[in-house]
Amino acid sequence: MNSFLLKIFVGLHNISYKIISKLSIKLNNNVHPKHEILNYHKFFVDHVGPTDTVIDIGCGKGENAYDISSKAKEVIAFDINEDNITSAKEHFKRDNLKF
């Protein structure tokens, strides 16, 4: 396949994925379905110990970081989107959780 067509198809795929993700999040109480389907949060919580310090890079709105902080010694969470960090700080608070 020529590289021009490949770029077009990959671009269309990326656009479609973003649209589908936004719609599925909107229909699922603002949570991406992957979290329920894959037991995403449970996986991380199950693999964290009470002496662990966790860095969550790309934390989104902080849901997973919050869940992990129920078990970890400390969670430090980062996201490039300031609106996500603002939302996380408003909705998820624990002494051992920093956004």
Side-chain angles (χ1 to χ4, degrees), residues 10-83:
V10 169
L12 288 172
H13 171 269
N14 291 343
I15 291 168
S16 299
Y17 182 80
K18 286 179 184 179
I19 292 169
I20 290 167
S21 291
K22 286 181 182 182
L23 289 174
S24 62
I25 289 167
K26 193 172 193 173
L27 293 171
N28 197 38
N29 297 320
N30 291 322
V31 177
H32 197 289
K34 72 180 177 188
H35 295 281
E36 289 179 19
I37 294 167
L38 300 173
N39 287 320
Y40 192 75
H41 294 220
K42 183 181 180 322
F43 172 83
F44 288 104
V45 172
D46 287 351
H47 291 85
V48 168
T51 61
D52 291 337
T53 296
V54 176
I55 298 174
D56 184 356
I57 300 172
C59 67
K61 295 183 180 177
E63 298 94 341
N64 201 26
Y66 180 76
D67 289 348
I68 293 168
S69 71
S70 70
K71 196 171 171 187
K73 177 181 177 184
E74 179 180 28
V75 177
I76 304 165
F78 298 91
D79 199 276
I80 195 168
N81 184 322
E82 278 297 320
D83 292 337

